[in-house]
Amino acid sequence: MARTGSIGSSPPPWGVQYTLCLPTEDAARRAAAELAAAGHRLAAIRAHGHAPDPALTGWWQVFSLAVHTGHDRLALEPFLRHERIRMAGLARSHGGFHQGCAEGHASTLQAIFTRDGLVHERASAEVAPPAPLPTDPAPPPGWGPRWPGPASPLPIRPEDVVRAVVAVAERMYGGADDAPDAVGWLLEEDFAFREPYESTGEFLGDLADAVAHQGDCTDDTVEAVPFLAELARDGGVPPAVRVTVLGDLLRLAATGASLAVLAADRVAALGDVWQERADVHMTRRAIGRALPRLLARWDEEGDAARFVLAALAAAASDGAAAGLVPRLKDLPAPAGSPRADTVALIAALLADDEPGLATALRRLTSWRPAIAERTATPHAAPRQLALAVLPDLVMEDAGPADRPGPLAAPPTPRL
């Protein structure tokens, strides 16, 4: 049922503008015709400009506007997710890839739609969602036993966390001049006298962003990995914070796989071979070098930290931690729970078990539609798909409730 915006009124029409990138003008015209036949209100094609992306010189873009009425945006999400998957499939069928989409009130998007190259216009066309609207599947009952501490809001004062983190930085580097750029700010005099943080999550978010701006790796990230690893194993750092830092390391270790999945359709369409950027590769290698010391704390850590550690080993060990698989059975992950599905994915990654990986991904996509969308491309390897979704699965369960953090979203590709 549609939710009305006010008594007796329906929500305003919602619009989505899709952008497809295709190899030829003919392919662009065929795709635009299909979109128009499916009820898109506007469709335009234009030659791709070479300045922002020289690899696409000679390619064509299709811009289309789909309008949906009678439903608010939240109710439309399962349907729109299916539409995004369908748009990517349509682009692949014409030899190209889906470049992205933008959403907003249909009247606004229609008013700003660039009509250069317009090939189809139907003034009142709509793409009607099915009735009833699709809904997301329910997850299996219960994530599993709650972790002690980290799954709840952090019961620690931010000033205590800052003090513990700075103590590790002082022990490792002595002063700001000898610390990596991503860490040096913690040791500067101005930092010591700044306004105190209102929450632990705010501070940890600043730390994560200093190490990996907007979640992406740089040369500074590589240099900061030993510091993050020391935080994650330092007994003076509260356990919940160590879990968070392990989660940040996990996201960094999975950055290459996330970028590969995001770019998979484009790489295939261009006939290229995916190559991991040097800074991303070196970040993962640095985490791999730190991993043995982190795993040495396995018996001392709580279950939440072990859960994240196992995922980190799967992402950064390059198969060297397969012996960890038998120890996963000690994690509180009841059969049939969402956590059990994540543990099965970790076990398959650690053991390089391709059939097990396929089974775990199939199980997860059956109840996690966002994962189904991220793994819909046929051009990414199963291991890349698994690693791309692993950090969100793990930290949604084990991470603190007060900080999703800047590393929570996949990084924007720099190709």
Side-chain angles (χ1 to χ4, degrees):
M1 178 181 296
R3 189 176 70 189
T4 57
S6 60
I7 296 176
S9 66
S10 294
W14 192 252
V16 184
Q17 179 177 305
Y18 297 96
T19 304
L20 311 183
C21 195
L22 302 172
T24 65
E25 180 181 358
D26 184 55
R29 289 187 179 278
R30 292 198 308 270
E34 286 190 43
L35 294 171
H40 286 219
R41 184 168 294 184
L42 298 167
I45 66 170
R46 294 191 287 275
H48 199 295
H50 63 83
D53 199 336
L56 296 177
T57 300
W59 282 59
W60 286 70
Q61 289 175 296
V62 178
F63 305 89
S64 72
L65 176 64
V67 175
H68 315 286
T69 59
H71 304 278
D72 69 11
R73 175 60 182 82
L74 184 62
L76 283 171
E77 175 56 25
F79 166 70
L80 292 180
R81 186 182 297 115
H82 178 270
E83 286 295 280
R84 292 191 295 268
I85 294 173
R86 191 171 70 85
M87 289 299 108
L90 174 66
R92 286 194 297 268
S93 73
H94 290 282
F97 58 97
H98 181 209
Q99 270 193 310
C101 58
E103 299 186 34
H105 292 300
S107 57
T108 300
L109 291 183
Q110 186 163 343
I112 65 174
F113 189 91
T114 302
R115 291 171 172 263
D116 293 349
L118 190 70
V119 289
H120 297 284
E121 180 174 11
R122 298 171 60 192
S124 58
E126 296 177 4
V127 178
L133 275 175
T135 57
D136 287 339
W143 282 95
R146 289 183 65 81
W147 309 109
S152 307
L154 296 176
I156 45 182
R157 299 184 306 171
E159 56 266 31
D160 293 338
V161 175
V162 172
R163 190 176 300 113
V165 171
V166 169
V168 174
E170 289 176 339
R171 186 176 72 244
M172 290 185 69
Y173 305 110
D177 291 343
D178 296 321
D181 289 344
V183 179
W185 61 284
L186 295 168
L187 302 174
E188 293 174 352
E189 186 174 344
D190 289 346
F191 175 76
F193 295 100
R194 63 161 288 167
E195 289 294 319
Y197 281 94
E198 294 185 1
S199 71
T200 298
E202 182 186 1
F203 169 64
L204 295 178
D206 278 359
L207 178 61
D209 196 45
V211 170
H213 182 58
Q214 297 183 343
D216 202 3
C217 299
T218 66
D219 292 341
D220 290 341
T221 309
V222 180
E223 295 181 357
V225 164
F227 174 69
L228 290 182
E230 191 64 19
L231 286 182
R233 64 183 300 276
D234 187 271
V237 174
V241 174
R242 294 204 307 274
V243 168
T244 299
V245 175
L246 285 169
D248 287 343
L249 286 168
L250 172 59
R251 293 193 186 281
L252 292 173
T255 296
S258 295
L259 292 172
V261 171
L262 285 171
D265 284 356
R266 171 196 160 106
V267 170
L270 289 170
D272 288 342
V273 176
W274 170 256
Q275 292 192 356
E276 193 173 49
R277 293 197 333 253
D279 49 9
V280 174
H281 176 76
M282 295 305 295
T283 296
R284 191 178 70 257
R285 291 287 300 273
I287 295 171
R289 288 192 296 272
L291 192 59
R293 296 185 72 199
L294 293 170
L295 290 175
R297 285 187 53 91
W298 181 274
D299 291 334
E300 303 171 52
E301 293 287 10
D303 286 332
R306 291 173 183 169
F307 182 52
V308 187
L309 263 174
L312 181 60
S317 68
D318 291 328
L324 199 60
V325 173
R327 311 194 75 173
L328 299 182
K329 69 180 187 305
D330 297 329
L331 295 174
S337 68
R339 188 179 298 161
D341 289 345
T342 305
V343 170
L345 188 70
I346 293 170
L349 284 165
L350 285 169
D352 199 19
D353 175 7
E354 288 194 10
L357 200 58
T359 299
L361 282 170
R362 187 164 55 248
R363 167 73 178 167
L364 286 161
T365 57
S366 72
W367 61 268
R368 280 292 297 265
I371 291 179
E373 180 179 357
R374 288 190 69 185
T375 59
T377 174
H379 297 307
R383 183 174 181 84
Q384 291 173 329
L385 296 172
L387 290 174
V389 302
L390 185 61
D392 283 347
L393 285 168
V394 169
M395 297 313 294
E396 183 178 291
D397 186 357
D402 77 337
R403 184 186 77 94
L407 299 187
T412 302
R414 286 193 284 120
L415 302 173

